[in-house]
């Protein structure tokens, strides 16, 4: 960890973004005194624009407040294939290789390279990722842990690596987006970078711009692994998706079609499709509770379907066997393949599963009550209702996000920068 990075923020409380901003203002004022021998660091605090109706409680760690310069640096790094510590065109891999803006920063079923039936991409060493990719939208509102099983969580005091096959970084807490960034860069399933090699590459002649950008973001031109993770973490927290047709309709800026409105009603009612308990929509525009459930995909008994990376692997609580995060359904049109194992490629398959394909197990979450009479293995909707439910799910697509220039590749002409 680069201890120097944080000195200006020492003593800052964790109690919210406004406190962070106010502290920054105070510290900058103090830092500007004439008799202060330290170089003055002029990073511009980022003012987070919370969309109407979204929660105000943001997950921004106190040792990585967001700044305009940090975010811009993070956006560059997110798209820079040299994160792999290599320069050969075949060995470049970026975050955007798997997290594509046009697919809401998920993989999509139409990836030009990663389109195996199981929907899992693979890293530069050829190892497939254990799970399918997750979308990166609205992560600043997630307080319940990152990854499909929530292994990277604020409450986590575990040191070292959460994965058996990832080189451990001692004294690193797996507690926030910054940890996921580090993991993504070094993981053999992903970019397979190496802290020294990646840092050295970004520091050298291959890019004269980075030292100045690091200086603007962090006060000195020094490039460290910790700063790379922090800058990318800042960029990811700016990715906000709040302009789908449904969100606009909820704000009174657009109208649902009749089918979309009926679908929303089904989504929200227990006797209808009953999706809202786990995927939100009941006053929360995030379309997820961020919690973990076993949604009755498998006939699963102890020892028979033990998944080595389910929620149980993190909590050791029997009730979490076969449970995974309920992902946000915002942009669900584009976030396939679906489920942690990519077993469904189309929304129609997912809807059919919830309609009649539920499988009983002792670990199925009680909210999957449509396993039981008067229902039969699902919600048992008629074809018209199924179309309405699908219309509502499609109204959750935020087309503005998919092309918003502020999230796009900053250097499309640079061969090291890749956007799939
Ligand atoms: C080879 C494909 C691949 C690459 C490259 C990749 N990721 Fe991911 N990413 C994934 C997969 C797969 C997951 C889900 C992992 C899991 O939960 O098991 C994921 C999950 C995440 C999450 C957690 C999302 C959530 O809701 O919990 C974040 C954050 C993330 N990636 C950021 C990044 C960043 C930053 C980079 C670049 C440094 C990156 N990823 C590169 C495949 C990739
Ligand atoms: C008991 C909680 C629960 C209920 C109720 C529920 N889901 Fe889910 N949903 C989940 C979980 C958990 C996952 C991820 C499961 C996994 O990957 O193993 C999921 C995954 C999905 C996915 C795939 C998302 C992706 O990006 O991979 C879609 C689409 C979906 N659900 C739609 C619905 C719809 C529509 C309904 C109502 C008919 C519904 N869900 C009801 C918990 C629930």
């Amino acid at each position: 960890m680069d201890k120097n990075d944080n000195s200006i923020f020492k003593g800052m409380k964790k109690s919210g973004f406004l406190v962070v901003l106010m502290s920054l203002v105070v510290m900058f004022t103090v830092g500007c005194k004439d008799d202060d021998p330290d170089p003055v660091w002029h990073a511009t605090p980022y003012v987070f624009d919370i969309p109407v109706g979204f929660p105000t409680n943001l997950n921004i760690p106190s040792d990585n407040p967001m700044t305009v310069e940090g975010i811009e640096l993070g956006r560059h790094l997110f798209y820079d294939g040299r994160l792999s510590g290599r320069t050969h065109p075949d060995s470049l891999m970026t975050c955007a290789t798997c997290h594509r803006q046009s697919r809401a920063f998920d993989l999509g079923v139409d990836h030009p390279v990663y389109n195996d039936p199981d929907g899992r991409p693979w890293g530069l060493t050829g190892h497939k990722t254990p799970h399918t990719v997750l979308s990166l939208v609205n992560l600043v509102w997630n307080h319940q842990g990152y990854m499909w099983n929530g292994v990277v969580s604020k409450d986590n005091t575990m040191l070292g690596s959460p994965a058996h096959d990832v080189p451990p970084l001692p004294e690193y807490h797996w507690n926030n987006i910054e940890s996921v960034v580090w993991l993504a860069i070094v993981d053999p399933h992903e970019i397979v970078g190496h802290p020294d090699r990646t840092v050295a590459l970004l520091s050298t002649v291959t890019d004269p711009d980075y030292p100045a950008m690091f200086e603007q973001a962090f006060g000195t031109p020094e490039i460290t692994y910790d700063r790379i993770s922090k800058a990318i973490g800042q960029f990811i927290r700016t990715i906000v998706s709040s302009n789908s047709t449904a969100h606009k309709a909820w704000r009174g800026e657009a109208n649902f079609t009749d089918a979309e409105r009926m679908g929303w009603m089904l989504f929200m009612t227990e006797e209808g499709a009953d999706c809202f308990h786990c995927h939100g929509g009941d006053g929360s525009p995030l379309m997820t509770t961020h919690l973990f459930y076993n949604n009755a995909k498998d006939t699963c008994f102890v020892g028979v379907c033990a998944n080595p990376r389910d929620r149980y692997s993190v909590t050791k609580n029997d009730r979490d066997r076969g449970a995974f995060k309920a992902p946000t359904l915002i942009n669900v049109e584009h976030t396939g393949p679906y489920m942690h194992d990519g077993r469904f490629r189309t929304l129609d398959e997912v809807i059919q599963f919830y309609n009649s394909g539920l499988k009983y197990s002792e670990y199925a979450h009680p909210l999957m009550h449509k396993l039981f009479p008067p229902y039969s293995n699902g919600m048992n909707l008629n074809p018209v209702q199924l179309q309405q439910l699908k219309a509502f799910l499609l109204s959750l697509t935020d087309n503005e996000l998919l092309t918003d220039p502020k999230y796009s590749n900053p250097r499309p002409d640079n061969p090291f920068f890749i956007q799939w």
Side-chain angles (χ1 to χ4, degrees):
M1 294 274 282
D2 181 352
K3 300 269 182 336
N4 296 330
D5 279 0
N6 311 334
S7 53
I8 197 167
F9 300 110
K10 286 244 169 79
M12 203 178 282
K13 288 181 201 151
K14 271 191 175 171
S15 52
F17 190 60
L18 274 181
V19 175
V20 174
L21 278 187
M22 285 166 61
S23 314
L24 274 173
V25 170
V26 172
M27 287 179 187
F28 285 148
T29 319
V30 173
C32 287
K33 276 185 190 158
D34 288 346
D35 55 357
D36 189 341
D38 294 327
V40 181
W41 168 27
H42 285 294
T44 320
Y46 178 73
V47 179
F48 205 103
D49 192 7
I50 298 177
V52 174
F54 276 58
T56 51
N57 185 10
L58 306 178
N59 184 353
I60 302 173
S62 55
D63 68 351
N64 192 19
M66 295 166 71
T67 65
V68 172
E69 293 80 1
I71 293 162
E72 187 56 17
L73 171 62
R75 178 176 158 220
H76 277 69
L77 294 167
F78 187 91
Y79 286 100
D80 194 331
R82 287 168 298 184
L83 285 182
S84 68
R86 303 167 178 87
T87 52
H88 189 277
D90 289 344
S91 303
L92 299 176
M93 185 176 265
T94 79
C95 311
T97 303
C98 296
H99 298 282
R100 302 156 71 200
Q101 184 182 8
S102 64
R103 297 294 169 262
F105 295 96
D106 204 322
L107 191 74
V109 287
D110 60 347
H111 195 287
V113 176
Y114 302 129
N115 47 25
D116 279 7
D118 67 5
R120 289 183 293 144
W122 51 88
L124 278 179
T125 49
H127 291 286
K128 283 198 171 186
T129 58
H131 298 148
T132 55
V133 182
L134 280 160
S135 162
L136 301 184
V137 307
N138 300 338
L139 295 194
V140 73
W141 283 285
N142 179 11
H143 296 266
Q144 307 292 347
Y146 294 97
M147 313 298 261
W148 277 102
N149 57 14
V151 67
V152 177
S153 154
K154 270 205 292 203
D155 315 318
N156 204 351
T157 52
M158 178 173 61
L159 294 172
S161 160
H164 336 279
D165 37 12
V166 171
L169 188 61
E171 297 183 33
Y172 209 92
H173 287 272
W174 293 92
N175 57 5
N176 222 316
I177 295 177
E178 287 73 10
S179 340
V180 186
V181 178
W182 181 81
L183 180 67
I185 299 178
V186 298
D187 193 333
H189 305 106
E190 301 182 41
I191 297 177
V192 212
H194 183 277
D196 299 339
R197 221 172 46 219
T198 300
V199 166
L201 192 54
L202 297 179
S203 311
T204 57
V205 283
T206 61
D207 209 308
D209 293 337
Y210 272 125
M213 293 180 80
F214 276 84
E215 178 160 21
Q216 284 161 7
F218 294 110
T220 65
E222 197 191 349
I223 299 178
T224 67
Y225 221 67
D226 188 43
R227 290 178 170 189
I228 292 173
S229 301
K230 284 184 168 147
I232 298 181
Q234 290 184 37
F235 169 66
I236 290 177
R237 289 193 181 89
T238 66
I239 303 178
V240 172
S241 187
S242 64
N243 287 318
S244 73
T245 303
H247 286 93
K248 288 182 177 169
W250 292 329
R251 291 198 296 262
E253 297 163 11
N255 291 314
F256 279 126
T257 63
D258 288 345
E260 288 165 353
R261 186 180 300 283
M262 289 305 294
W264 179 32
M265 214 182 291
L266 288 165
F267 189 95
M268 296 295 298
T269 47
E270 287 180 354
E271 64 280 12
D274 196 7
C275 316
F276 69 103
H277 283 118
C278 309
H279 291 288
D282 53 339
S284 163
L286 297 171
M287 300 311 291
T288 172
T289 54
H290 288 127
L291 295 175
F292 308 86
Y293 313 87
N294 178 325
N295 64 344
K297 289 186 303 305
D298 299 296
T299 315
C300 165
F301 298 93
V302 183
V304 176
C305 88
N307 184 313
R309 297 179 197 245
D310 59 2
R311 181 66 178 157
Y312 170 82
S313 72
V314 177
T315 64
K316 301 295 177 214
N317 185 334
D318 255 334
R319 127 192 122 190
D320 289 328
R321 285 193 191 265
F324 291 89
K325 167 173 302 190
T328 178
L329 298 185
I330 302 177
N331 304 305
V332 68
E333 176 181 6
H334 294 296
T335 59
Y338 301 106
M339 308 297 168
H340 71 278
D341 53 7
R343 65 176 68 190
F344 303 127
R345 288 188 79 77
T346 66
L347 266 186
D348 289 318
E349 287 172 54
V350 176
I351 291 171
Q352 273 311 328
F353 154 71
Y354 280 113
N355 200 41
S356 56
L358 304 188
K359 297 201 176 87
Y360 173 77
S361 82
E362 57 188 298
Y363 302 113
H365 195 277
L367 287 169
M368 302 306 295
H369 62 99
K370 294 205 170 175
L371 276 161
F372 304 107
Y375 304 95
S376 143
N377 298 322
M379 42 189 186
N380 305 158
L381 300 181
N382 66 39
V384 174
Q385 291 172 313
L386 293 178
Q387 280 310 314
Q388 291 168 336
L389 182 61
K390 185 176 176 188
F392 169 66
L393 293 177
L394 294 177
S395 81
L396 290 164
T397 299
D398 175 356
N399 287 312
E400 291 170 35
L401 172 99
L402 307 181
T403 53
D404 192 332
K406 68 173 177 282
Y407 305 130
S408 65
N409 182 355
R411 294 191 201 162
D413 300 332
N414 184 318
F416 292 131
F417 281 61
I418 298 173
Q419 177 167 27
W420 287 77

